[in-house]
Amino acid sequence: MTLIVQKYGGTSVGTIEKIGKVADKVCAHVKNGEQVVVAVSAMSGETNRLIALAEEMSEQPHPRELDVLVSTGEQVTIALLTMALHDRGCDAKSYTGSQIRMLTDSAHGKARIREIQCDAIHKDLEHGRVVVVAGFQGVDEHGNITTLGRGGSDTTAVAMAAALKADECQIYTDVDGVYTTDPRIEPKARKLDKITFEEMLEMASLGSKVLQIRSVEFAGKYNVPLRVLSSFQEGEGTLISLEDENVEQATIAGIAFAKDEAQLTIAGVPDRPGVASLILGPITEANIEIDMIVQNIGADGSTDFTFTVHRNDFPKALSLLEHTSAELGAKQVIGDDQIVKVSLVGVGMRSHAGIANTMFQTLAREGINIRMISTSEIKISVVIDQKYLELAVRSLHEAFGLDVDGKIQK
Ligand code: ASP
Ligand code: MG
C-alpha cells in the first residue's frame, strides 16, 4: 500500500474554506487507497502574530515560553483540519508534536529532531485513519515543547516520511514547484520537473525560499523523494530526488541569489600566521555568520582580507572590524552593504567544462563588474553591485538556456 506524507503550508490552510479544500484533497487520496499522514503549518500570519504578542509582552521572551506560545498556531490547524476530515466521512486523528513524541534536543526556537515514535501512527494508518500532525513542533527529553525554526513544518513532514519510510513526501505550498529562478525577477523562469537533493540544497542555501534548508538536508540524508506542489493548481510539481545516473543532467538547474549581503574589507593587514583568525574570531563570537571569504596574496609583508555577511549584521561587523583594524595596525576598513550574490547551480557542472567562463563572459557583456567569486563542485557564486541584480539574473538565465523555450547560447 502506498504511504504518503503531505505537508500543507500556512497559505494553504489560511482560512476555514482553504482548510476545507485541503480536507477534500486528503480525502481524495484516501479514496484512492493511499495511507496519508498530514503535517500542517499554522494558518498564514499566525506565527508572526504570536511572535509579535510575545514581543509586546516582554523585551526578551524566555525561549521556552516563546515555544509554548508559537507552537499553538499549529495546534489550531490540526484540530480544524481533523474536524473537516470527519465531516467528509474520513476517519482521522490529530497529534501535537509531544503526543506523537517528535523527540528533539532542547535548543528552543531551532531544535533538531532526534527520534520519532511511530507505533501509534502505524496503528492509526492500519485502521485506515488519516494522521494529522502539528508541524514545526517537538518535545525534548524533559517534556518541554520545542520548535524547529521558521519554516520548520517542512522538516516535520520530511522527518515523518523518513521515519515511516513513506513512498513520497509532498509539500503543498503557494507555488506550483521549484523554478529555475525567482519568477518575480525573471518572468521567463521555468518550472523544473526534477532537481537533485544537492542542487535543491544549494538553491535553498543561496536564497531560494521554497523549502526550509534543513528539510532538504534531511530528505537527502534519508533519501526521501520530495515533491513540491501547489495547493491551488493541478500539476505534477517538482520532484526532488537522487541524481539519475542514466540521464544526462541539464548543465544548470537554476540561478539563485541572495539580496541582503554586505561586504567588508580590511586592507593592509600584516601577512603572518594567525591573522585570519584574529580578524574573523570576533565576528563569529558575535554570532555573525560569515559567507564568502577572500584573502589576497601578500605583497610587501601585508595583505587584504574581504568577507561577506548578512546585511542585518553589517553595522555590528563593521564596528568589530574597525576595532581589529586598530589593534592590528591595518591600513583601512572598507564596507559596502549594497551588494548581492548571484549563483549558478547544477550537478551538470561536474562534467561540463567552461561554465565559469560562459558566466563571466555573460556578465562582462552586460558591463557588470564581479567583486568576488567562489566555487564548489556544483555552484559558482559571484558578488556584484546590487543595482545589477536583475540584469545579471536575466542575462545568465538566457545564456544558460533556462528561459521558457530557451537555448544555450554559443
Ligand atoms: N508556522 C511556522 C512558521 O511560520 C512553521 C511553518 O510554517 O513551517 O515559520
Ligand atoms: Mg513555509
Side-chain angles (χ1 to χ4, degrees):
M1 201 173 198
T2 312
L3 166 59
I4 53 170
V5 175
Q6 300 189 318
K7 180 254 169 175
Y8 291 92
T11 47
S12 309
V13 293
T15 62
I16 291 293
E17 292 73 42
K18 284 181 179 167
I19 295 176
K21 294 244 165 68
V22 167
D24 290 337
K25 255 189 195 304
V26 173
C27 284
H29 282 275
V30 174
K31 296 223 168 79
N32 212 10
E34 286 163 278
Q35 294 183 320
V36 190
V37 173
V38 187
V40 283
S41 290
M43 295 167 80
S44 59
E46 183 61 9
T47 309
N48 289 342
R49 188 186 72 86
L50 293 168
I51 293 172
L53 275 182
E55 284 168 352
E56 222 180 289
M57 190 79 247
S58 162
E59 222 160 81
Q60 267 189 318
H62 192 286
R64 181 187 184 278
E65 305 315 322
L66 190 58
D67 275 354
V68 171
L69 179 70
V70 296
S71 63
T72 59
E74 273 71 14
Q75 190 167 335
V76 170
T77 329
I78 54 170
L80 291 174
L81 176 60
T82 307
M83 291 174 197
L85 288 166
H86 290 164
D87 285 354
R88 284 159 181 76
C90 190
D91 195 2
K93 201 167 160 186
S94 71
Y95 289 90
T96 64
S98 64
Q99 283 175 322
I100 36 164
R101 244 176 151 258
M102 170 78 67
L103 189 67
T104 70
D105 62 18
S106 303
H108 287 289
K110 49 171 191 283
R112 286 189 172 264
I113 298 168
R114 286 200 175 145
E115 195 191 308
I116 304 176
Q117 231 115 67
C118 296
D119 306 353
I121 301 172
H122 279 303
K123 270 212 193 87
D124 283 328
L125 292 172
E126 276 159 28
H127 284 96
R129 228 168 261 141
V130 174
V131 174
V132 182
V133 180
F136 177 53
Q137 56 179 264
V139 65
D140 74 2
E141 56 183 342
H142 310 294
N144 299 304
I145 295 174
T146 55
T147 61
L148 310 178
R150 298 307 305 268
S153 301
D154 294 341
T155 302
T156 303
V158 174
M160 295 290 302
L164 295 165
K165 301 199 169 51
D167 294 282
E168 195 169 280
C169 181
Q170 304 173 342
I171 309 280
Y172 284 91
T173 176
D174 48 4
V175 292
D176 63 348
V178 179
Y179 276 71
T180 48
T181 195
D182 188 338
R184 282 168 300 189
I185 297 277
E186 172 51 278
K188 290 185 207 139
R190 190 157 41 85
K191 182 179 79 69
L192 296 158
D193 294 332
K194 274 172 98 171
I195 184 170
T196 69
F197 291 126
E198 267 183 298
E199 288 168 333
M200 192 61 219
L201 194 56
E202 289 285 6
M203 297 281 278
S205 321
L206 294 166
S208 149
K209 291 193 181 63
V210 187
L211 289 170
Q212 197 197 32
I213 296 172
R214 215 186 266 175
S215 72
V216 185
E217 280 170 2
F218 219 104
K221 188 164 164 198
Y222 294 98
N223 192 12
V224 177
L226 195 58
R227 194 182 287 278
V228 175
L229 321 104
S230 161
S231 290
F232 311 110
Q233 263 169 273
E234 289 298 313
E236 295 291 298
T238 301
L239 179 67
I240 306 158
S241 60
L242 282 178
E243 204 169 321
D244 203 335
E245 274 166 25
N246 303 320
V247 181
E248 168 96 350
Q249 297 281 344
T251 328
I252 300 299
I255 299 166
F257 53 85
K259 278 186 190 172
D260 303 313
E261 299 265 307
Q263 179 180 318
L264 296 115
T265 300
I266 179 165
V269 287
D271 189 16
R272 58 175 155 80
V275 165
S277 124
L278 283 176
I279 294 169
L280 298 179
I283 310 279
T284 33
E285 264 156 44
N287 264 325
I288 297 175
E289 214 176 297
I290 298 162
D291 184 12
M292 281 195 209
I293 305 173
V294 171
Q295 189 201 298
N296 281 348
I297 298 238
D300 307 327
S302 78
T303 183
D304 301 342
F305 198 95
T306 303
F307 59 94
T308 62
V309 296
H310 191 277
R311 205 168 285 173
N312 292 344
D313 294 324
F314 179 66
K316 184 88 202 277
L318 192 60
S319 86
L320 288 168
L321 199 60
E322 264 153 9
H323 189 81
T324 311
S325 169
E327 270 181 2
L328 286 173
K331 217 183 293 156
Q332 60 171 336
V333 170
I334 311 157
D336 190 342
D337 64 352
Q338 298 299 305
I339 56 137
V340 293
K341 183 170 75 170
V342 176
S343 312
L344 283 184
V345 177
V347 292
M349 269 182 213
R350 289 199 192 107
S351 49
H352 290 78
I355 304 280
N357 197 31
T358 307
M359 180 181 197
F360 303 153
Q361 271 173 359
T362 307
L363 296 173
R365 207 183 306 128
E366 302 294 343
I368 301 171
N369 187 40
I370 302 171
R371 292 164 161 248
M372 291 170 88
I373 300 171
S374 94
T375 63
S376 82
E377 237 198 335
I378 66 161
K379 73 140 202 267
I380 306 168
S381 299
V382 295
V383 169
I384 58 172
D385 286 352
Q386 165 168 293
K387 62 178 183 224
Y388 294 127
L389 171 70
E390 301 191 356
L391 181 61
V393 170
R394 289 187 192 143
S395 54
L396 291 170
H397 200 269
E398 189 181 356
F400 285 96
L402 297 174
D403 287 2
V404 176
D405 301 324
K407 291 220 168 49
I408 298 185
Q409 289 175 355
K410 282 275 145 55

